[in-house]
Amino acid sequence: EVVVAAAAPVAGERVVDLGCGNGNAALLAAARGAEVTGVDPAQRLLDLADERLREAGLEATFLAGEAAAMPLEDGAADLLLSVFGVIFAPDAEAAAAEIARVTAPGGRIVISAWIPQGAVSEAAALSRKAVMEALGAPPPAPGFAWHEADALAGLFGPHGFDIATETHPHAFTAASAAEWFETEVRNHPLRLAGAAVAPPEVVEEVS
C-alpha cells in the first residue's frame, strides 16, 4: 500500500508490477484504474494473482518473466513498480537495464527494498548460515545494496534516472510473537528452500 500510494498511478496509466507475486501491488494499481501488467517467474503465484483479480472484479494481465527478461515491448510502462521483487534478481545491472528498457521516456520507477538491519534481517542471516554450513558451501556473497541511494544512482544513473529514497516502517502483526514465528516457519520462502536441501536435524534446529 505504501509503495502504490507513493507511486500514485492514475487511471489509464500503463503500470508494470515486476515480481508481482500474488498481485498485491498490481491489484491496488488496477483499482485506481491503471492498465496493469504483472510479471513474475513463479507460475503458481501468477495463477493466484489471476484468481484474486477475478474475485476483485478488476482487470490486469499477468505474464511469466524474469527481472532481466520481461516479455514486454520497449517503453511499455509509464510506471514500473517492484515491491520486494527486483531486489532478489541475481544480476542487478541486467535487471536495471531491462527496467530502463521497459520504462517509457519520462516514466518513473518505484522499488521497495529491505534495510539489512534489525531482528528480521539477523534471523534471516542465521537461517542462511545454517543452510549453507549444512551443505558445506561458502556463505553467499553480499547482494546489491538496493536500499542505498548511492548504489541506486550508480545503477540507474547511466540510464538517465534521478534517485530519491524514503524510509518507512514495516509492521509484522500476529496474536503473539510465537504465533508470528510459527507462521514464518511454515511459509517463509527461505525456510521452505532450506528444508528442501538441509538435513532434517538442521531444519529442526533452525525452526
Side-chain angles (χ1 to χ4, degrees), residues 32-47:
R32 289 171 171 248
E35 299 176 6
V36 181
T37 301
V39 178
D40 198 278
Q43 187 61 50
R44 178 182 68 85
L45 294 179
L46 293 174
D47 292 342

Side-chain angles (χ1 to χ4, degrees), residues 131 134-135 185 188-200 202-204 206-207:
V131 171
L135 294 174
V185 166
H188 196 285
L190 177 62
R191 162 63 174 79
L192 297 176
V197 298
V202 173
V203 174
E204 181 65 27
V206 172
S207 301

Side-chain angles (χ1 to χ4, degrees), residues 2-18 28-29 32-36 70 75-83 86 96 98-112 156 159-164 166:
V2 170
V3 173
V4 175
V10 297
E13 193 167 32
R14 300 172 303 160
V15 175
V16 170
D17 181 9
L18 175 58
L28 290 173
R32 289 171 171 248
E35 299 176 6
V36 181
M70 287 182 269
D78 301 309
L79 166 63
L80 187 139
L81 300 172
S82 189
V83 181
V86 70
E98 181 71 346
I99 288 172
R101 179 188 71 79
V102 169
T103 304
R108 60 202 190 281
I109 302 164
V110 182
I111 294 168
S112 65
F156 286 101
H159 299 289
F161 290 95
D162 296 326
I163 303 299
E166 299 177 359

